[in-house]
Each structure stands twice: as structure tokens, then as C-alpha cells.
């Protein structure tokens, strides 16, 4: 029993339950604890930029020959394919379940959100913004797509430099940066149960759960889509790798608990990286590259949710979507997913952008915003676990999936892999 209580996933799960119970008992007073949860989230977020940069640079800089191009091609292919599948599944669910039909528009939309969405750039400018004119400005605002683009180019250039000169000083520097940042995050994760307790106590005490009833059809549609996609993803992994998928739930438990309690793929990223290397057996170079890119391109739960939002708003407003608009909606869902990093609080602006871009009525957005924390649980669950499954597929294609590690009941600790483990040891 004492050993079980030392399990980080169990600690976070217990903290979440206790936080909800405490919040429901004390009511709005629990809002006084929110600042503690905010500090925990910020402590993780402040390390994401240097961690992602160093991970991508190390992954691309250390590859040899044509390995980098093949790794990138496999990663992008799987992620785009799964994103497209997520959009199609969401559309089918929307057609069958009609989550927005008969919705009573209640609650207004913040005028500031409407103005922000109106001022949002079109899809062409969104793509242009993938490239920053000032990488330090992108770093200061945690604009992840330009950061990843810069890191990919820098890593590719570093790869050429190391190959031609044999000088690994810069590459070793970024490897050491990655190790230091992950060690720092490991320290922060010690207080994860406290942070989760305060976050959920505030939610239960100030918002409560009555609001869920009004958005039940929307939330049920999102949850059904998550279940369908997870089954599809796991089936593809099993067909490609033939690993024992019955071991996956235990291996993914810790990252799942962090994902559903923080509703942030970015906050969960260090744990996902650690899990992929130590418990799943994904090679370090594949994990660094694929999981870093997955922060923006691998948000399959977000694509699913955004497409369901489009269907919901159309049905709530009595708008019939023609095939062209449906395809455009799918493309926008994927594009917006690629242009944002999944952190809590970004949904309202994204939803307004989708509504205004497709000419949909947005009066029912108030309901979606009210229940977004619950939808965020489903989105983040699929985002982080989907990234791990994609990393397994990419590693299998690169012959870099260690089955001895995957089949082991405990994380690998052999001396040959110890540097990688220390690098990834971010969430114990």
C-alpha cells in the first residue's frame, strides 16, 4: 500500500478527487486556492520553450545521413493522416448525433472575443506566421510553431556542421540544456499533487458541475469521438508493431493523469517524453523530434473537438453545411490546430475564429465556453496519448522501438541508456 501511494499517477489522481470534493464542500472560497494552481502551471510552462527547442535541435542535429528527412517524413505523414481521420470522424459524429440541434441560446459571448476573432488573420497569414521574423519575440510569447520551425532549421544546419567539421560542442551544449531543463521540471513535478488539488478545488467551488447538463450532447459527442479515435490509433499501432497493447494503459497512466487534471498538452509534455523513452521503448532521437512536433501538429483531440464545434454551431443556428464548407471546416480545424499550442484558455478565441471564418452563428458559443474545461479533458487525453502512439509508429518505421523496454514491467535502467533516462526523468 505504501509503495502504491508513491506512484505519481495515483498521487495526482487522489489529489484531483480530494480537490473536487473540497471545492464542492467549501464552495466559492476555494477560489482563494487558484493562485497556487496557477503557479504550478506557470512553473511548467516557463520551461516548455527551452525544452522544445533543445529537444528538436538535438533530435535533428544528431541524425546521420538521410535519417532526418525520413524521420520528418514519417512523423508528418502519421500526424497529418491521423488529424484528417479525426476531422472526418468528428463530421460523421456531428451528422449522426446532431449535438447542436434544438439548442437554446443562453448566455452571451464576450464582445472582446468577437472583436478578437474578427481581427484574426486569414489562413494565408496564419501560414506566414509559422515563420517568425524575430525568434526571441516568438520565444517571449511562447509562439510554438515559429519556435519549432526555427529549431528544425537550426538543427538541420547543425547536423551539416557536425558532419563536415566533426565538432560536437554546440550539439553537446543543447543536449546538456535539455538535461538541465528536464531536471528542473522534475523538481517542479514534486508539487504536482498540490497544484492539481488547488486547480480542481477552484473549479468545483466556483463553477460547479450543473453547467455540464446543458452541454451534455456536445460533450458526449466529443467523448465518443475520442473513444473511436483511440481505438483506431491503438489498432493501427498493434497491426504495425504487434506489441502487447494490454500493457499500454499501465505505461500511459501517469501522463494520462497529468493530462486530464491540467488539460494542457504542454504541461504534460515532459512526462510524455519520459514515458516514451523509459516505458514504451521509443528511441531518444525519435522521441525528441516526434513528441516536440506533436505539441502543435499532434493535437488530434483538438482537431476532433474543433470540427464538432463547427457542426454544433451550424446545427444550433439552423445552417446547412454544403460539402465545400465541410471540407473547408476540416482544413481550418487542422490548420488552427497546427497554429496553436494546447494550453488551457485558448478555446474561446479559436471557436470564434472558426465561426466567423465559416460564417456560422456564434450565439451558442457561451454554452461551449462554459463547459470547455470538461471538453478539454477529452481533447488533452487524446492529444498526449495519440502523440505517444504516433511516436511508436515512427520508431517502428525507423527500427528504433525497443521491445525489451516495452515488455519490461519496470522502466529501463541499464547503463547504456542512463543518460537518456536522466534526460527524460521529468515527472517522478
Amino acid at each position: 500500500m505504501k509503495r502504491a501511494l508513491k506512484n505519481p499517477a495515483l498521487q495526482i489522481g487522489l489529489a484531483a478527487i480530494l480537490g473536487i470534493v473540497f471545492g464542492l464542500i467549501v464552495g466559492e472560497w476555494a477560489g482563494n486556492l487558484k493562485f497556487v494552481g496557477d503557479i504550478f502551471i506557470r512553473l511548467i510552462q516557463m520551461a516548455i520553450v527551452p525544452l522544445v527547442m533543445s529537444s528538436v535541435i538535438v533530435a535533428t542535429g544528431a541524425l546521420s545521413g538521410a535519417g532526418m528527412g525520413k524521420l520528418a517524413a514519417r512523423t508528418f505523414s502519421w500526424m497529418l493522416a491521423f488529424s484528417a481521420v479525426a476531422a472526418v470522424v468528428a463530421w460523421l459524429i456531428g451528422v449522426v448525433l446532431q449535438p447542436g440541434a434544438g439548442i437554446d441560446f443562453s448566455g452571451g459571448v464576450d464582445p472582446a472575443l468577437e472583436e478578437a476573432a474578427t481581427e484574426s488573420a486569414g489562413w494565408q497569414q496564419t501560414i506566414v506566421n509559422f515563420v517568425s521574423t524575430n525568434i526571441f519575440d516568438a520565444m517571449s510569447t511562447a509562439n510554438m510553431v515559429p519556435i519549432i520551425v526555427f529549431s528544425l532549421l537550426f538543427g538541420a544546419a547543425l547536423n551539416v556542421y557536425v558532419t563536415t567539421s566533426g565538432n560536437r560542442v554546440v550539439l553537446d551544449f543543447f543536449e546538456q540544456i535539455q538535461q538541465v531543463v528536464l531536471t528542473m521540471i522534475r523538481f517542479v513535478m514534486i508539487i504536482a499533487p498540490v497544484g492539481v488539488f488547488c486547480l480542481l478545488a477552484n473549479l468545483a467551488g466556483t463553477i460547479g458541475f450543473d453547467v455540464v447538463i446543458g452541454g451534455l450532447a456536445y460533450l458526449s459527442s466529443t467523448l465518443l469521438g475520442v473513444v473511436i479515435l483511440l481505438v483506431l490509433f491503438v489498432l493501427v499501432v498493434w497491426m504495425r508493431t504487434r506489441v502487447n497493447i494490454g500493457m499500454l494503459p499501465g505505461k500511459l497512466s501517469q501522463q494520462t493523469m497529468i493530462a486530464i487534471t491540467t488539460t494542457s498538452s504542454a504541461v504534460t509534455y515532459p512526462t510524455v517524453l519520459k514515458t516514451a523513452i523509459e516505458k514504451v521503448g521509443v528511441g531518444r532521437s525519435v522521441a525528441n523530434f516526434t513528441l516536440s512536433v506533436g505539441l502543435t501538429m499532434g493535437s488530434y483531440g483538438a482537431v476532433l473537438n474543433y470540427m464538432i464545434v463547427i457542426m454544433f454551431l451550424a446545427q444550433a443556428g439552423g445552417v446547412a453545411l454544403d460539402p465545400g464548407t465541410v471540407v473547408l471546416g476540416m482544413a481550418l480545424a487542422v490548420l488552427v490546430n497546427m497554429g496553436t499550442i494546447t494550453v488551457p484558455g485558448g478555446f474561446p478565441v479559436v471557436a470564434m475564429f472558426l465561426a466567423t471564418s465559416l460564417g456560422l452563428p456564434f450565439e451558442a458559443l457561451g454554452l461551449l465556453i462554459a463547459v470547455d474545461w470538461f471538453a478539454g479533458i477529452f481533447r488533452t487525453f487524446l492529444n498526449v496519448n495519440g502523440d505517444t502512439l504516433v511516436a511508436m509508429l515512427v520508431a517502428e518505421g525507423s527500427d528504433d522501438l525497443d521491445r525489451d523496454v516495452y515488455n519490461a514491467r519496470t522502466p529501463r535502467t541499464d547503463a547504456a541508456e542512463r543518460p537518456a533516462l536522466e534526460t527524460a526523468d521529468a515527472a517522478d
Side-chain angles (χ1 to χ4, degrees):
M1 181 65 178
K2 179 183 286 188
R3 183 177 181 181
L5 289 175
K6 292 182 178 180
N7 185 302
L10 181 58
Q11 291 175 356
I12 294 172
L14 289 175
I17 295 171
L18 292 174
I20 292 172
V21 172
F22 181 81
L24 292 174
I25 292 174
V26 304
E28 293 187 0
W29 184 90
N32 293 314
L33 301 178
K34 181 176 182 292
F35 80 98
V36 179
D38 289 342
I39 290 173
F40 165 67
I41 294 294
R42 289 185 177 215
L43 285 171
I44 297 293
Q45 287 178 332
M46 72 179 182
I48 295 302
V49 169
L51 178 58
V52 170
M53 288 192 72
S54 59
S55 296
V56 175
I57 290 172
V58 168
T60 54
L63 291 173
S64 59
M68 182 172 61
K70 292 180 179 179
L71 176 58
R74 291 191 184 99
T75 298
F76 296 148
S77 296
W78 281 116
M79 288 184 177
L80 289 174
F82 280 155
S83 294
V85 170
V88 172
V89 167
W91 172 71
L92 290 173
I93 290 175
V95 170
V96 174
L97 297 187
Q98 298 280 311
I103 292 296
D104 177 28
F105 299 152
S106 58
V109 177
D110 187 344
L113 288 177
E114 185 176 350
E115 181 180 351
T118 302
E119 295 176 353
S120 296
W123 67 268
Q124 298 96 333
Q125 189 60 41
T126 299
I127 295 177
V128 171
N129 290 339
F130 286 0
V131 181
S132 175
T133 58
N134 185 339
I135 188 59
F136 295 102
D137 179 62
M139 292 170 64
S140 68
T141 57
N143 194 351
M144 295 308 300
V145 177
I147 289 172
I148 290 176
V149 170
F150 172 86
S151 300
L152 286 170
L153 292 174
F154 189 95
L158 179 60
N159 184 288
V160 173
Y161 175 76
V162 171
T163 302
T164 56
S165 68
N167 188 337
R168 289 179 50 92
V169 172
V170 178
L171 181 59
D172 291 340
F173 169 76
F174 280 104
E175 288 180 338
Q176 292 164 8
I177 289 291
Q178 185 191 42
Q179 292 182 25
V180 171
V181 173
L182 280 165
T183 301
M184 180 178 72
I185 295 176
R186 182 181 63 186
F187 297 157
V188 175
M189 290 305 297
I190 294 174
I191 66 168
V194 177
V196 167
F197 175 90
C198 294
L199 286 171
L200 295 192
N202 166 69
L203 179 79
T206 59
I207 299 178
F209 296 105
D210 290 342
V211 70
V212 178
I213 298 175
L216 198 56
Y218 162 70
L219 293 175
S220 299
S221 298
T222 303
L223 177 59
L224 176 62
V226 167
V227 172
I228 292 174
L229 287 172
L230 185 64
V231 171
L232 288 175
F233 290 3
V234 170
L235 181 60
V236 172
V237 168
W238 177 76
M239 292 175 63
R240 295 281 295 182
T241 66
R242 296 294 177 178
V243 298
N244 180 5
I245 58 175
M247 300 179 70
L248 275 175
K251 293 179 178 296
L252 305 182
S253 61
Q254 186 176 350
Q255 68 184 44
T256 296
M257 290 305 304
I258 296 174
I260 65 177
T261 53
T262 64
T263 65
S264 172
S265 297
V267 171
T268 314
Y269 171 76
T271 307
V272 175
L273 183 62
K274 173 182 184 292
T275 298
I277 296 173
E278 289 193 17
K279 298 180 181 180
V280 179
V282 176
R284 185 182 176 194
S285 61
V286 173
N288 282 338
F289 181 88
T290 301
L291 296 177
S292 297
V293 173
L295 272 176
T296 54
M297 285 191 64
S299 300
Y300 321 103
V303 173
L304 171 85
N305 187 221
Y306 296 158
M307 192 62 202
I308 289 178
V309 166
I310 291 171
M311 300 298 291
F312 178 93
L313 294 178
Q315 292 161 5
V319 176
L321 298 177
D322 59 75
T325 304
V326 170
V327 173
L328 178 59
M330 292 180 180
L332 284 176
V334 174
L335 185 61
V336 170
N337 159 59
M338 292 171 57
T340 58
I341 186 168
T342 47
V343 295
F347 172 79
V349 173
V350 171
M352 284 295 299
F353 172 76
L354 292 172
T356 55
S357 297
L358 297 173
L360 301 176
F362 50 77
E363 288 81 1
L365 266 181
L367 174 61
L368 302 187
I369 293 172
V371 300
D372 183 60
W373 187 85
F374 302 96
I377 292 176
F378 306 147
R379 286 196 304 264
T380 312
F381 169 82
L382 185 60
N383 289 347
V384 299
N385 290 316
D387 281 346
T388 302
L389 296 175
V390 167
M392 292 177 67
L393 292 169
V394 174
E396 174 69 15
S398 305
D399 196 24
D400 204 7
L401 181 63
D402 192 329
R403 283 168 171 74
D404 290 335
V405 173
Y406 183 89
N407 293 325
R409 294 293 176 180
T410 56
R412 59 176 161 194
T413 56
D414 54 289
E417 291 292 344
R418 192 170 302 278
L421 297 186
E422 292 173 354
T423 298
D425 192 15
D428 273 344

